[in-house]
Amino acid sequence: MNIGFLVIGIILSTLSKWLQYQGNDTLGDLLVFPAAFFLGLAFVCSFPFFKEWWQEPSRRPRAIRFAAFVAGGLLSFQLFAWLVFGQGEWLGAWFLVPFLIFLYFVIRTFK
């Protein structure tokens, strides 16, 4: 499962950089978000505890919840970084709030 997410993330990341190099910065910037999403899922799926949760049917909802919180936190942090550092929009710092909320739920789900 994590190999599939990893391959998709690498392809999207490479395509994003190629588009930015070709001058299509907007589409290249937008492709960073799904690339980060899939690379994050590949990272999460590589943890041994996650594999145990996924293989046991009674703990699978916990695995799905954990992956969803990690992906949501990753995307909100990515949006914060893109807006603040890439676009110069300081209002993007508000996306740290959902990141911290997702981080709280990741830690709570892990316990």
Side-chain angles (χ1 to χ4, degrees):
M1 182 166 53
N2 62 339
I3 297 297
F5 290 141
L6 182 63
V7 168
I8 293 170
I10 290 172
I11 289 170
L12 288 174
S13 182
T14 304
L15 183 60
S16 167
K17 294 302 173 195
W18 183 74
L19 285 170
Q20 289 174 345
Y21 181 73
Q22 295 296 323
N24 195 347
D25 292 340
T26 305
L27 186 58
D29 286 346
L30 292 178
L31 277 180
V32 170
F33 294 103
F37 174 79
F38 283 108
L39 290 172
L41 285 179
F43 184 67
V44 166
C45 291
S46 68
F47 292 135
F49 69 85
F50 184 83
K51 291 177 184 178
E52 291 174 12
W53 290 352
W54 187 258
Q55 290 171 352
E56 188 176 326
S58 65
R59 296 171 82 184
R60 191 168 291 168
R62 185 178 189 182
I64 293 171
R65 192 170 51 245
F66 184 79
F69 290 147
V70 167
L74 185 66
L75 288 175
S76 63
F77 187 81
Q78 183 77 18
L79 192 55
F80 149 74
W82 180 64
L83 286 172
V84 171
F85 301 116
Q87 304 296 316
E89 295 290 332
W90 288 102
L91 288 176
W94 282 103
F95 282 100
L96 284 177
V97 173
F99 168 73
L100 293 173
I101 292 170
F102 280 121
L103 182 63
Y104 167 77
F105 283 114
V106 164
I107 293 169
R108 189 168 178 216
T109 302
F110 182 71
K111 285 185 177 181

